[in-house]
Amino acid sequence: MQDNKLEKNIGLFAALSTVVGGVIGSGVFFKPQIIFTASGGAPGLGIIGWIAAGIITIAAGLTMAELASMIPETGGMMMYIKKVYGEKIGFLAGWAQVVLFFPGLIAALAVVFADQFVALSGAAYLKIPMAIGVIILLALLNLIGSKSGGIIQNVSTICKVAVLIILIVAGFVMGKGNNGIITPVIGKGINPVTTFGSILLAIFFAFDGWINVCALAGEMKDPGKDLPKAIVGGLAIVASIYVIINISYLWVVPASQLAASAAPASDVATVMFGPIGGKLIGVGIMISVFGACNAYIMTGSRVLYALSKDGTLPKSDTLSKINKNNVPGNAIIALAILSCIFALSGQFNLLTDFAVFSIWIFIVLSFIGVIILRKRMPDVERKYKVPLYPVVPIVAIASGLFVLINLLFTNTLLAVGGIVITLIGLPVYAIGKKKLLKSNKSLESN
């Protein structure tokens, strides 16, 4: 990978489209189940959660964009962490992405694809084989070259947009609208504080992808002016779509029914269009999920490839090789193997929570990094500065810490597991660095 000077040819509309297209994925079709289950079958706290998560994500995007404009380097967040906290913590950020975040989300999407298949076919015994099969198929397609991945993304995007439009319009036209939307806010006997934290964690998965636009800062014509507009505008559009489609679900079926459904969007479609129409919408959702899974394999393998270029990962020489089709083949295979192992759990919500928790540790560190660099490097030119500083970064930091701490107390095993696996990166880094230094000395002596 070469870090040549980037051409500044991305305008506001292209950046806005990147935000909207990159964020909307599978979460809006499947997360209503866990959200309304957590709220005890009550709709209010779930709808409030979608709105709050939108506001938090906008604050997060605006904060991260300052780092992106200051450090427009290949590697994204990993490079921001490295700049602020040093090479070791930067490695940990990359390590968490390649051993937890990407394989966790790839596995989760493969599992939910299989869940949708089971809902349509009734063949429950095929769930795990189908999930693993999807990962293997996508890995093979990515090994062939990036062109096939681009075709998958285009087709899945069309299906995703079509399904969203159909569900929103048909929901309001065909639904009776006699179910609660805001009331009751929460079910009886449920702690609203801890429940809200769990709901936000679930919804953050649906908003995942917002960070990608920050990587465009170095290629934007006017990042200081257009980047905040793209983030605020794009995420406002996404948040509005999420709130509207959840209201359209509730316009058709009650929150208690959504809580009991493994495939809520398909079930809503079945109520409106009958079994055949519901299955057609279900197929469209499967194609959308297939595309989202493909996107994470493409992106995750490149992050693994970039991390291995430093030489500190085990088998770095192997992982950093490009195959005859000009793609990081060994990185794709390694990521697919790890994702298949994760997929054996068969747990969509567990996998997404695990992945989101692991990455938000470093996202929060990045937010704090904005404040640190303001003090450490006050005279450095910033083409973009986060507005309403320090209020917006503090909102982002406080919200992220609330979710992380909440999960630490409500799902201690998952949180501690994520932290332990992340910290395993420290001895991995130490061993890899020692071998690298030894290798460099050997080369110098020769």
Side-chain angles (χ1 to χ4, degrees):
M1 296 180 85
Q2 293 180 339
D3 290 330
N4 297 323
K5 189 146 179 137
L6 297 167
E7 290 184 30
K8 297 184 177 294
N9 53 15
I10 296 178
L12 174 59
F13 182 76
L16 191 73
S17 300
T18 301
V19 176
V20 176
V23 172
I24 297 176
S26 63
V28 70
F29 300 125
F30 296 98
K31 280 300 179 181
Q33 183 225 7
I34 191 68
I35 289 166
F36 294 123
T37 297
S39 67
L45 197 63
I47 296 297
I48 292 168
W50 284 104
I51 296 169
I55 294 169
I56 292 166
T57 308
I58 288 171
L62 288 172
T63 304
M64 193 71 83
E66 180 166 322
L67 288 176
S69 64
M70 277 185 72
I71 314 165
E73 297 179 28
T74 302
M77 185 178 66
M78 183 171 63
M79 301 307 296
Y80 312 156
I81 296 287
K82 189 180 288 187
K83 181 79 171 179
V84 179
Y85 301 100
E87 193 175 285
K88 189 183 294 184
I89 307 301
F91 175 86
L92 275 187
W95 170 262
Q97 288 182 79
V98 300
V99 301
L100 289 175
F101 178 70
F102 283 111
L105 289 192
I106 291 165
L109 290 166
V111 165
V112 85
F113 179 94
D115 278 336
Q116 187 70 46
F117 174 81
V118 169
L120 295 176
S121 67
Y125 62 94
L126 287 176
K127 177 178 173 177
I128 300 301
M130 175 64 72
I132 292 173
V134 166
I135 296 170
I136 293 171
L137 174 60
L138 284 170
L140 291 173
L141 289 171
N142 276 273
L143 286 170
I144 293 169
S146 57
K147 188 175 181 180
S148 59
I151 294 170
I152 292 169
Q153 291 312 117
N154 291 336
V155 173
S156 68
T157 299
I158 292 168
C159 288
K160 174 172 61 181
V161 172
V163 169
L164 284 169
I165 292 170
I166 291 168
L167 287 174
I168 289 172
V169 174
F172 288 116
V173 172
M174 301 176 71
K176 295 179 180 178
N178 53 6
N179 303 311
I181 303 297
I182 292 295
T183 56
V185 174
I186 195 168
K188 291 181 181 179
I190 293 177
N191 185 318
V193 177
T194 56
T195 299
F196 193 58
S198 299
I199 286 173
L200 285 178
L201 183 70
I203 296 174
F204 281 162
F205 165 72
F207 276 98
D208 184 66
W210 62 266
I211 197 171
N212 295 335
V213 74
C214 296
L216 299 177
E219 299 168 78
M220 292 185 71
K221 296 174 184 175
D222 189 351
K225 181 181 177 183
D226 290 342
L227 191 57
K229 288 180 181 178
I231 291 170
V232 174
L235 289 176
I237 291 169
V238 171
S240 299
I241 291 170
Y242 283 172
V243 172
I244 291 167
I245 197 168
N246 274 274
I247 293 173
S248 78
Y249 292 158
L250 294 169
W251 214 253
V252 180
V253 299
S256 57
Q257 190 173 330
L258 292 172
S261 171
S266 288
D267 287 352
V268 169
T270 301
V271 171
M272 293 188 292
F273 307 121
I276 294 175
K279 286 186 176 183
L280 287 173
I281 292 294
V283 170
I285 293 170
M286 286 178 72
I287 295 171
S288 175
V289 172
F290 191 78
C293 192
N294 177 70
Y296 280 111
I297 288 176
M298 288 179 69
T299 308
S301 60
R302 271 64 178 180
V303 173
L304 178 54
Y305 167 79
L307 189 64
S308 66
K309 293 288 283 184
D310 288 342
T312 46
L313 270 181
K315 302 293 182 182
S316 287
D317 290 344
T318 303
L319 292 170
S320 60
K321 286 182 180 176
I322 299 292
N323 69 11
K324 62 181 181 180
N325 297 316
N326 204 33
V327 295
N330 292 331
I332 292 170
I333 293 169
L335 187 63
I337 291 170
L338 196 52
S339 300
C340 285
I341 294 170
F342 277 47
L344 290 172
S345 71
Q347 299 295 313
F348 170 64
N349 289 308
L350 176 68
L351 288 167
T352 56
D353 285 353
F354 198 49
V356 172
F357 176 82
S358 67
I359 202 67
W360 266 83
I361 293 172
F362 293 98
I363 289 175
V364 170
L365 284 176
S366 298
F367 298 155
I368 296 169
V370 171
I371 296 173
I372 291 173
L373 290 184
R374 283 280 187 112
K375 293 181 177 180
R376 187 190 298 169
M377 305 166 67
D379 300 325
V380 171
E381 181 188 0
R382 289 168 172 81
K383 294 180 180 179
Y384 161 80
K385 288 186 176 182
V386 59
L388 300 176
Y389 179 88
V391 175
V392 171
I394 288 172
V395 168
I397 293 166
S399 302
L401 286 175
F402 169 70
V403 172
L404 293 174
I405 293 169
N406 179 75
L407 190 70
L408 194 59
F409 284 100
T410 59
N411 198 335
T412 306
L413 186 62
L414 182 147
V416 171
I419 292 169
V420 169
I421 294 171
T422 299
L423 291 177
I424 288 172
L426 289 174
V428 170
Y429 174 82
I431 294 168
K433 198 70 176 175
K434 189 176 180 180
K435 285 183 178 178
L436 190 63
L437 289 171
K438 189 176 180 181
S439 175
N440 290 338
K441 285 181 181 178
S442 177
L443 288 171
E444 287 173 6
S445 62
N446 291 335

